[in-house]
Amino acid sequence: MKCDNCGVREAEVFQPHTGKRLCRDCFLSDVQERVAREAKKLGVTSVSRVLIAVSGGKDSLVLADTLSKVMDPSKLIAFNIVEGIQGYNREDQVKELYHYLRDLGIELISTSFKTSVGYSLDEMVSSSRARGLNIAACTFCGGFRRKLINQAGRDVKADLVATGHNLDDEAQTIIINLLRGDVRKLMRVGESPLKLSDKFVMRVKPLRKIYEWETTMYAFLKGFKFQEVECPYISARPTMRAKVRDLMYALEEKSPGFLLRLVENFDRIGEEVRRESKLTTLPTCKMCGEPTSFGREYCKNCELLISAGLRPVSS
């Protein structure tokens, strides 16, 4: 069967949300063009420096590849974090990432939880469990990843931080925050970057309209070598996100395009709510000096270390 776009080459990929059958080249071009449109809409292509968070997974590789095609790669700086998970973070993966980014003309800088926080993720989880606390590894990991990425963005004087969150991630975040009734976090989701502190580098998600299966297929067709093994902490203890993901995949299968419509509709609603709301500057943590939520003396990250017995309150 011929490609529905070019009508010349054989179709290799079926897009359920468009009903099109595309050849390899037209599929890759389609993803690149959609990322380029989103990147321009988010202001990524008009700034001087962008920090891109890269894990070595398929999404971050697709992010680096597509952005390098719409802007000068010298304006991109990649940032990698080794969380410190036994059997999961491997040195050879970081080397592979370095060589790939070097070929694109993108500089790579990196750190680890152990270096920047003082403890690996395994050590944080182990210490919290020893105290009988039921804190998920993802709670530690997500908070400290965001903190270190933001710090790196400030250090390199980046105008924006770009992450590899795809459409599935974005839709799941919307549903999770709805289930939790977290209006403030819901207001942070959307196309327009939101900045509630001078210490924040605005974050953007150029892949937020690209399905996860599309980033997987893109990476496969481009021959990328990426980490395919799921984090052992997620496998051992499924999070709310994992449960929401399964539900949303079922809805998408029954109604192709559901996730895309969800995000696009929320964008329109979210923008109206944000225009009518008065958002004030966030306070700062009395321990580390980073932004924290309203009503908190300490940021969530410092609270976690205090609870796990890894940081005294008086420090």
Side-chain angles (χ1 to χ4, degrees), residues 19-226:
K20 289 184 177 181
R21 290 172 172 78
L22 303 175
C23 67
R24 176 188 183 279
D25 291 348
C26 286
F27 171 75
L28 293 175
S29 295
D30 175 73
V31 172
Q32 290 164 5
E33 288 167 7
R34 286 157 58 202
V35 174
R37 284 199 301 271
E38 193 69 18
K40 290 174 183 175
K41 190 185 299 182
L42 295 169
V44 176
T45 57
S46 60
V47 298
S48 299
R49 182 168 296 176
V50 178
L51 183 85
I52 55 175
V54 294
S55 63
K58 64 184 185 317
D59 296 324
S60 56
L61 292 177
V62 172
L63 176 67
D65 187 79
T66 52
L67 286 186
S68 70
K69 289 175 168 52
V70 297
M71 61 189 299
D72 184 346
S74 67
K75 294 183 177 182
L76 301 171
I77 300 177
F79 179 58
N80 174 252
I81 302 170
V82 176
E83 296 90 351
I85 304 170
Q86 186 175 7
Y88 183 66
N89 296 133
R90 299 202 308 270
E91 189 176 334
D92 60 319
Q93 292 170 341
V94 178
K95 288 181 179 178
E96 188 79 32
L97 182 62
Y98 167 77
H99 290 305
Y100 169 69
L101 292 169
R102 182 191 60 186
D103 291 343
L104 286 178
I106 300 173
E107 177 187 357
L108 173 66
I109 58 177
S110 61
T111 189
S112 67
F113 279 2
K114 185 72 172 179
T115 300
S116 298
V117 182
Y119 306 96
S120 68
L121 182 58
D122 283 347
E123 289 171 336
M124 294 179 200
V125 173
S126 177
S127 183
S128 68
R129 287 177 178 172
R131 288 192 156 208
L133 301 176
N134 191 32
I135 303 174
C138 295
T139 302
F140 283 107
C141 188
F144 281 106
R145 279 186 59 83
R146 287 189 291 272
K147 180 176 182 177
L148 295 181
I149 290 170
N150 187 64
Q151 286 179 338
R154 289 201 310 252
D155 291 343
V156 302
K157 295 180 172 54
D159 301 291
L160 295 170
V161 167
T163 64
H165 292 88
N166 56 49
L167 173 63
D168 300 43
D169 297 324
E170 195 79 336
Q172 290 159 24
T173 296
I174 291 170
I175 295 301
I176 288 170
N177 288 325
L178 282 172
L179 291 173
R180 289 175 174 166
D182 197 330
V183 178
R184 288 189 179 276
K185 284 189 178 179
L186 274 171
M187 290 174 67
R188 297 178 197 172
V189 180
E191 289 182 320
S192 303
L194 184 63
K195 187 173 183 178
L196 297 180
S197 171
D198 290 338
K199 293 192 174 185
F200 280 148
V201 181
M202 288 194 296
R203 289 199 307 162
V204 294
K205 305 170 186 176
L207 303 184
R208 65 190 302 273
K209 299 290 179 65
I210 308 297
Y211 280 90
E212 184 171 14
W213 75 263
E214 290 182 298
T215 64
T216 303
M217 182 60 69
Y218 188 102
F220 171 74
L221 292 175
K222 295 283 283 190
F224 296 159
K225 295 180 181 178
F226 56 89

Side-chain angles (χ1 to χ4, degrees), residues 39 58 83 121 153 201 206 211 220 234 252 264 282 293 297 301:
K58 64 184 185 317
E83 296 90 351
L121 182 58
V201 181
Y211 280 90
F220 171 74
I234 294 179
E252 178 69 26
E264 289 179 337
L282 291 172
S293 302
E297 284 190 304
N301 292 323

